[in-house]
Amino acid sequence: MAQPKRDEQLARAFLELADTLVDGFHLVDFLHVMTDHVVELLDVAAAGLVMVDAQGRLVDVTASTHTAHQLGEEQVEFDEGPCRDCCSRHESVGPVDLTRQEAVDRWPRFTKAARTAGFGAVAAVPLRLREEVIGALNLFHTGPDALHPADLRLGQALADAATIGILHQRLAHDQAERVGQLQTALNSRIVIEQAKGVLVARLNLPPDAAFGRLRAHARSNRRSLTMLCAQVVEGTADIELFAAPPDAPQHP
């Protein structure tokens, strides 16, 4: 990537991650934007995010691909994986070579699922401000030795920027709204899953392709992914808009 273009992308990423005090803020849309920037700027195949709810439990919220999203759900279900360790220890995890026995010993079910999905390495960095950890960013790569220190440092910087943006947005609202923020994100996730199902059924697409087309259309048209998916589910969006694949290639 040419340096001037990369500098422009970096500036845009940090600006968008700081821009949370706006009307109509949706946490899930904000986190989708974050994963877009992570995949664009880092040498990773996919990225995912889990958040910590009011009871301290992990909740899978979003990912850059359907496959990475499934792995986030499996980390929560299995109660093992890099994001679980990252949130409990309040520190970054990895990179971990998933082809090695150490990974199998550490996270037996998660490692098997990630390897089956085509990933060879994984890492996680915390969404943390001082002692408060509100979630974790999961980074995936297909190569076992492909997650580099520079990418992890940049991933942490993006996670730090997102954390500050989320906490600033929470501070601007009362306690009830802060508690409900994650629930709203989970409701949005349900709508997104339903919209993926509509495209899978109507256009005969695999789930990852359906997800990619929804994300690409929302981003290219500067629209809320949540609102777009709601229109797809309600039948007010033109399904043919999603018949052609986006220009960007799809990752595993």
Side-chain angles (χ1 to χ4, degrees):
M1 183 186 301
Q3 190 61 41
K5 182 179 179 182
R6 180 173 174 81
D7 290 345
E8 179 182 337
Q9 290 174 333
L10 281 167
R12 185 175 70 251
F14 283 104
L15 179 63
E16 290 184 358
L17 292 176
D19 188 23
T20 56
L21 299 180
V22 295
D23 291 336
F25 174 83
H26 291 282
L27 179 61
V28 72
D29 288 338
F30 175 78
L31 295 176
H32 273 296
V33 168
M34 179 184 176
T35 58
D36 282 340
H37 286 308
V38 168
V39 173
E40 182 178 68
L41 290 166
L42 278 62
D43 180 20
V44 297
L49 280 155
V50 300
M51 302 293 288
V52 180
D53 71 8
Q55 287 73 45
R57 299 171 302 198
L58 290 189
V59 179
D60 175 57
V61 177
T62 189
S64 62
T65 69
H66 175 77
T67 303
H69 184 55
Q70 287 182 310
L71 287 172
E73 291 178 332
E74 286 166 343
Q75 287 190 72
V76 174
E77 177 187 348
F78 298 156
D79 193 29
E80 66 176 44
C83 282
R84 196 282 307 267
D85 289 358
C86 180
C87 290
S88 64
R89 298 177 183 178
H90 292 202
E91 63 185 16
S92 61
V93 172
V96 174
D97 181 346
L98 296 173
T99 66
R100 298 179 66 86
Q101 185 61 40
E102 289 90 336
V104 177
D105 295 339
R106 186 175 187 180
W107 310 311
R109 290 183 292 177
F110 169 78
T111 298
K112 180 180 178 181
R115 292 292 294 136
T116 300
F119 295 116
V122 68
V125 297
L127 273 68
R128 176 186 62 204
L129 181 63
R130 291 183 285 276
E131 297 305 312
E132 183 173 9
V133 173
I134 63 172
L137 169 66
N138 221 157
L139 305 172
F140 298 93
H141 206 291
T142 54
D145 301 314
L147 289 171
H148 303 298
D151 285 315
L152 298 185
R153 288 194 296 270
L154 180 53
Q156 184 65 72
L158 292 167
D160 290 345
T163 303
I164 292 170
I166 292 168
L167 293 179
H168 278 178
Q169 202 279 336
R170 287 182 181 178
L171 287 171
H173 297 79
D174 61 31
Q175 181 64 28
E177 290 186 11
R178 278 183 276 170
V179 171
Q181 186 187 65
L182 187 54
Q183 184 58 50
T184 299
L186 295 178
N187 293 341
S188 297
R189 191 184 74 174
I190 292 170
V191 173
I192 292 168
E193 291 297 318
Q194 290 172 334
K196 281 196 291 186
V198 171
L199 296 194
V200 168
R202 294 278 299 277
L203 299 177
N204 195 29
L205 294 172
D208 228 359
F211 189 39
R213 294 186 192 187
L214 288 165
R215 287 171 62 95
H217 185 82
R219 187 172 189 187
S220 63
N221 291 280
R222 301 183 66 82
R223 296 193 56 195
S224 160
L225 177 64
T226 302
M227 298 299 291
L228 174 65
C229 289
Q231 291 179 339
V232 170
V233 173
E234 293 164 0
T236 58
D238 182 2
I239 298 299
E240 292 306 314
L241 292 173
F242 308 99
D247 293 336
Q250 298 297 309
H251 292 294

